[in-house]
Amino acid sequence: MTVKKRAFVKCLRYIFPIIAILVIATVIGYKKGEKNSEQQAQIALAQLISCSLQQAEDFDAAVTLASTEAVPDSEIGLAKSDGKLREYLIERFGDSMTDSCIEDLAMSRTFYRSITMAKNFSSDIKTGEIELKKCSGEQECYTFSAEIKTSAGNLAATAWGTILMKKDGRKWKASQITLNMKETQS
């Protein structure tokens, strides 16, 4: 019996460290995969401010489909009947913005700004570096500024505003965005 016990203890000496290493590696990998609110804010802003010509065409197609299925509705903004447009916006922005934020940006027509810019410049529109500064006294609120450039690298506009982040499940998402833009002459 003592030989079996020694073999068991010897086996545990090798197995326990391996299990401990696997648990630690899993926890570290999970934490690295989870983005913090500042990183998610930058992603949300880059998605909002950037627009390829293809995305502008896709948006136009979604608007056209939404207008063909339009049903009178007393709501302002995206009505429940705007299924195709709602589907398009949630597919494009749902990973980085809450449904409420998407609804607010649609009602204020903020989405149209980068789309219009892509059409006006006949170019993909991309953000340069986005500078974020934490708002004092507000948790997970940032002021931002960014340069917006054409695919050729020309300055198309400057953008600034605020972004408020909140946890949606285990992921940070933008819950409110105010966007100001000043376009350069095309």
Side-chain angles (χ1 to χ4, degrees), residues 31-159:
K31 295 238 182 210
K32 281 187 177 180
E34 186 179 286
K35 292 181 171 53
N36 66 29
S37 66
E38 188 172 341
Q39 291 168 321
Q40 281 300 121
Q42 288 193 347
I43 290 169
L45 290 169
Q47 285 182 332
L48 176 62
I49 298 170
S50 300
C51 183
S52 69
L53 286 170
Q54 182 62 51
Q55 288 170 327
E57 288 176 17
D58 292 345
F59 180 81
D60 287 345
V63 168
T64 301
L65 282 173
S67 66
T68 61
E69 67 179 27
V71 175
D73 201 321
S74 62
E75 291 182 35
I76 297 174
L78 286 179
K80 299 292 184 211
S81 60
D82 291 337
K84 297 295 182 193
L85 184 56
R86 178 184 298 275
E87 190 177 295
Y88 168 81
L89 292 173
I90 288 174
E91 182 179 316
R92 182 166 172 206
F93 300 105
D95 284 345
S96 63
M97 299 176 196
T98 64
D99 290 350
S100 173
C101 183
I102 292 170
E103 184 81 19
D104 290 345
L105 293 172
M107 287 188 330
S108 66
R109 299 179 177 249
T110 302
F111 291 122
Y112 301 109
R113 299 184 86 178
S114 61
I115 292 166
T116 302
M117 212 179 322
K119 291 177 185 177
N120 288 346
F121 284 95
S122 298
S123 172
D124 293 348
I125 301 297
K126 302 177 188 234
T127 58
E129 184 177 335
I130 299 172
E131 293 182 28
L132 291 175
K133 290 184 182 177
K134 189 121 171 136
C135 297
S136 61
E138 295 280 336
Q139 287 196 354
E140 311 316 325
C141 179
Y142 303 92
T143 59
F144 67 88
S145 62
E147 286 188 343
I148 304 168
K149 297 183 178 189
T150 64
S151 55
N154 299 325
L155 183 65
T158 54

Side-chain angles (χ1 to χ4, degrees), residues 1-11 13:
M1 196 61 134
T2 59
V3 172
K4 287 184 180 179
K5 196 174 187 180
R6 282 186 193 162
F8 180 73
V9 169
K10 191 175 185 179
C11 184
R13 285 184 187 162

